[in-house]
Amino acid sequence: MRWPPALAVGAALTAVFLGAAALSFLWTPFPTDGMDIAARLRPPGGANLLGTDHFGRDTLSMLMVGARTSLAVAVIAVGFGMAAGVPLGLLAAATRGSLVDEVVMRGNDLVFAFPALVIAILITAVFGPSAFNAILAIGIFNTPVFARVSRGAALALWTLDYVRAAQVAGKGRARISLEHILPNIANLLIVQGTIQFSLGILAEAALSYVGLGAPQGTPSWGRMLAEAQTMIALAPHTAVFPGLTIVLAVLGLNLMGDGLRDLTDPRLRRAR
Amino acid sequence: MLRFALSRLVSLGLSLVAASLVIFAVVEVVPGDPAAFMLGMNAAPDTVAALRRELGLDAALPVRYLGWVTGMLAGDFGISYTYRVPVAELVAARLGVSLPLAVYALLLSTAIAMPVGLLAAARRGRAADWGVMAGTQLGIAVPNFWFAMLLVLVFAIELRWFAAGGFPGWEAGLWPNLKALTLPAVALALPQAAILARVLRSALIETMDQDYIRTARAKGLSGRQALLAHALRNAMIPVLTILGLQFSFLIAGGIIIENVFFLPGLGRLVFQAITQRDLIVVESVVMLLVFAVILVTFLTDLAYAAVDPRLRRRG
């Protein structure tokens, strides 16, 4: 199998970020939990490759540790969206045209009317800011996306002969959904998962930036940008590198998603 | 067309009722006593009881819900707990910043995306197309608030063409305000323009493969004429969908961008309300944002039907 160039570049970028996040548990160039006022706001270059922030913390080390927060929030939110959305989509497709289908689809429309940020505002206003609330907000936002994708793809599969044959053989709709439909829409779900993953990273950064995500003290790309904002004239590097990191992470995932979509069955591409 | 519009109108109403129920439930039912929450942990019991009476929390849930909804319909959103002024006044003043910003950004993103998407589709597979695809791929990955910070760095701090933030207020005239909203609108518009240009390009390429375009070419139209006269109109459906969806992104994005530029819009209002536990303001602003999204979806549906008569039958 030949890898399309977009997929190769995307997978490489994604691997770098996963690797950096994993490595940060074992080693970072500098510790990230202490303050070193003497070393504050150092420009990039020298021992601190990407400079230091207003507490003298090494930007590269902070970015590595921050990668954990971003990746964890985005991955769990995608998992949440899949776990809730895919069964709903399969259920709606299996009971096509019924009241259940209608309720699931109208519920979908309703959640679509709440942008992730608005969900986060509502949750945070009531429960206070935390990384968990960010996950919940992005996860709720992801749910109708997965429900819609899996329903659409499953509807196309339900008309195929082998599914009809399974019905004639006496298999129930739940069993057919699990054994025949789900494996055949898995490709599509992985592609959509990659896209939601990159959207999740952007959303987490935005939520942490406005103070609705990672709490104070948790290194996070969005929070680094929020802190950099007041010193942007003095130390532009504190704002430039976290932003570039987000761009590269999101770009990598998007390229990987596009590449994966091109690899998967073109017939399924229509069903999207 | 009228029947279609009416059926959409009914579903608009139902969506609003459902959304208001969800918001009401989250704010007033889930966490326990809003009055105790708003006053914090150290409040005396009789203070809490007084606030409960003031907020009307001693009434039954359905009564409170109906009171809230009928109040909103009459333009009465309640009294802000921290500001001690009607929420409607607060919101109206802030909308004067947020709404122009969203519209400005929407116009900018359309103005950028249309020529770029057309260019890429017309030069499909060539250098210009490749450049547009690479540039838009990058544009999608850029967080708008970071882009906003870069704009401040370049155009406010280095070049000093614009102020780094703030808003003079409409009484200062159109021009200073337009200028104050320009960097925020550009920051909001560019990532959206990237998405829009890609959608327009792929929609145009798909319609250019249709038989009626071949017919148009056969009867002597040039590629450019066919693109502008026939393909563009037919490619508008997916573009309208994305424009409709983008509006909700612009509203959400605007809330964040307002924080970069210290604009006194809905975004700053809602974040202040969150830190001050002013749940009444949060509830009203969230309802307003969701209302805007639902209304735009409704208008997008009507726009589809106007562009494509086949869709009117869908009901």
Side-chain angles (χ1 to χ4, degrees):
Chain A
M1 186 170 69
R2 253 192 74 228
W3 280 39
L7 182 58
V9 175
L13 276 173
T14 309
V16 168
F17 282 102
L18 293 177
L23 182 63
S24 76
F25 284 102
L26 303 172
W27 174 84
T28 52
F30 289 87
T32 56
D33 43 7
M35 280 192 215
D36 184 359
I37 297 301
R40 65 198 292 262
L41 296 182
R42 276 194 188 145
N48 303 97
L49 195 60
L50 304 181
T52 59
D53 69 3
H54 57 307
F55 289 136
R57 293 173 300 188
D58 178 55
T59 305
L60 179 61
S61 308
M62 291 288 284
L63 287 174
M64 286 171 69
V65 179
R68 287 185 218 162
T69 316
S70 287
L71 296 178
V73 168
V75 167
I76 301 172
V78 168
F80 181 112
M82 276 193 183
V86 174
L88 283 173
L90 290 177
L91 176 71
T95 58
R96 173 180 201 171
S98 73
L99 184 67
V100 178
D101 184 19
E102 188 67 21
V103 167
V104 170
M105 291 317 286
R106 290 290 81 80
N108 253 355
D109 290 346
L110 179 62
V111 181
F112 262 124
F114 289 78
L117 180 72
V118 171
I119 303 176
I121 287 173
L122 204 53
I123 294 176
T124 314
V126 174
F127 300 103
S130 71
F132 174 76
N133 289 345
I135 292 172
L136 194 62
I138 304 170
I140 293 175
F141 172 76
N142 281 340
T143 304
V145 176
F146 283 108
R148 190 163 286 194
V149 167
S150 45
R151 177 179 178 271
L155 278 181
L157 290 175
W158 271 100
T159 62
L160 297 184
D161 286 342
Y162 71 88
V163 175
R164 294 258 166 254
Q167 264 180 315
V168 172
K171 283 193 180 180
R173 285 191 285 197
R175 233 181 114 192
I176 293 176
S177 290
L178 268 182
E179 292 177 6
H180 299 294
I181 308 277
L182 187 58
N184 282 297
I185 64 170
N187 276 343
L188 209 58
L189 292 179
I190 291 170
V191 171
Q192 193 64 40
T194 319
I195 296 166
Q196 296 310 117
F197 189 9
S198 80
L199 286 177
I201 286 182
L202 279 175
E204 192 278 333
L207 291 180
S208 293
Y209 171 75
V210 291
L212 298 182
Q216 205 127 32
T218 310
S220 131
W221 298 340
R223 190 157 261 293
M224 289 173 77
L225 284 174
E227 286 167 6
Q229 196 181 334
T230 48
M231 323 172 275
I232 189 164
L234 203 62
H237 70 270
T238 55
V240 170
F241 292 119
L244 271 182
T245 309
I246 298 173
V247 171
L248 288 175
V250 172
L251 192 65
L253 283 164
N254 283 344
L255 289 175
M256 197 164 88
D258 287 355
L260 284 174
R261 194 183 49 214
D262 292 345
L263 272 188
T264 51
D265 195 330
R267 274 176 309 165
L268 284 180
R269 233 190 295 169
R270 288 269 150 217
R272 261 163 54 89
Chain B
M1 185 70 194
L2 189 67
R3 256 191 77 189
F4 174 81
L6 278 177
S7 84
R8 293 281 98 189
L9 201 60
V10 170
S11 86
L12 169 86
L14 289 177
S15 308
L16 285 176
V17 170
S20 67
L21 276 171
V22 170
I23 294 168
F24 182 79
V26 172
V27 173
E28 307 219 4
V29 182
V30 177
D33 188 353
F37 175 81
M38 286 165 74
L39 288 167
M41 278 191 291
N42 301 322
D46 49 331
T47 327
V48 175
L51 183 62
R52 281 181 62 86
R53 263 196 309 282
E54 190 189 322
L55 297 177
L57 289 179
D58 34 11
L61 269 183
V63 177
R64 271 161 49 199
Y65 172 73
L66 284 178
W68 180 55
V69 171
T70 49
M72 279 194 302
L73 288 176
D76 174 15
F77 290 77
I79 307 282
S80 159
Y81 169 67
T82 42
Y83 295 92
R84 292 283 159 189
V85 291
V87 176
E89 271 177 32
L90 277 178
V91 168
R94 305 306 182 100
L95 264 180
V97 179
S98 296
L99 207 57
L101 176 60
V103 173
Y104 193 174
L106 194 68
L107 292 178
L108 262 182
S109 80
T110 316
I112 299 166
M114 287 302 212
V116 170
L118 272 168
L119 174 77
R123 309 250 158 188
R124 176 183 183 180
R126 289 195 262 169
D129 183 23
W130 196 87
V132 167
M133 289 309 277
T136 51
Q137 183 73 263
L138 195 65
I140 291 171
V142 173
N144 54 17
F145 60 94
W146 179 61
F147 187 53
M149 290 165 78
L150 293 185
L151 288 176
V152 168
L153 195 59
V154 174
F155 293 101
I157 295 171
E158 293 296 327
L159 298 173
R160 297 177 184 275
W161 290 356
F162 293 92
F167 188 75
W170 291 109
E171 59 281 354
L174 185 66
W175 176 241
N177 290 296
L178 221 50
K179 203 175 163 195
L181 290 182
T182 296
L183 286 187
V186 170
L188 267 175
L190 272 194
Q192 299 299 324
I195 299 174
L196 198 59
R198 287 176 86 90
V199 170
L200 178 62
R201 173 189 174 272
S202 59
L204 280 173
I205 285 176
E206 201 158 298
T207 43
M208 286 302 275
D209 286 340
Q210 301 287 323
D211 288 339
Y212 59 81
I213 298 291
R214 196 169 311 135
T215 310
R217 295 296 301 273
K219 75 174 192 194
L221 255 60
S222 71
R224 182 167 304 170
Q225 282 170 325
L227 190 71
L228 292 175
H230 296 286
L232 189 57
R233 178 174 172 146
N234 284 287
M236 282 319 282
I237 294 281
V239 171
L240 277 174
T241 311
I242 297 300
L243 271 179
L245 280 176
Q246 276 192 340
F247 196 77
S248 83
F249 279 108
L250 286 177
I251 289 175
I255 288 179
I256 290 173
I257 292 292
E258 281 169 17
N259 281 278
V260 182
F261 293 95
F262 305 101
L263 294 176
L266 281 182
R268 291 199 67 75
L269 177 68
V270 81
F271 289 122
Q272 277 158 4
I274 288 176
T275 45
Q276 290 157 346
R277 300 162 168 249
D278 198 341
L279 283 181
I280 301 165
V281 169
V282 175
E283 197 178 37
S284 308
V285 174
V286 166
M287 187 64 223
L288 200 71
L289 293 176
V290 172
F291 170 71
V293 174
I294 293 176
L295 184 69
V296 168
T297 313
F298 166 75
L299 293 176
T300 319
D301 279 348
L302 289 191
Y304 286 160
V307 175
D308 187 347
R310 283 172 302 180
L311 293 176
R312 284 174 208 165
R313 263 174 272 142
R314 223 177 34 175

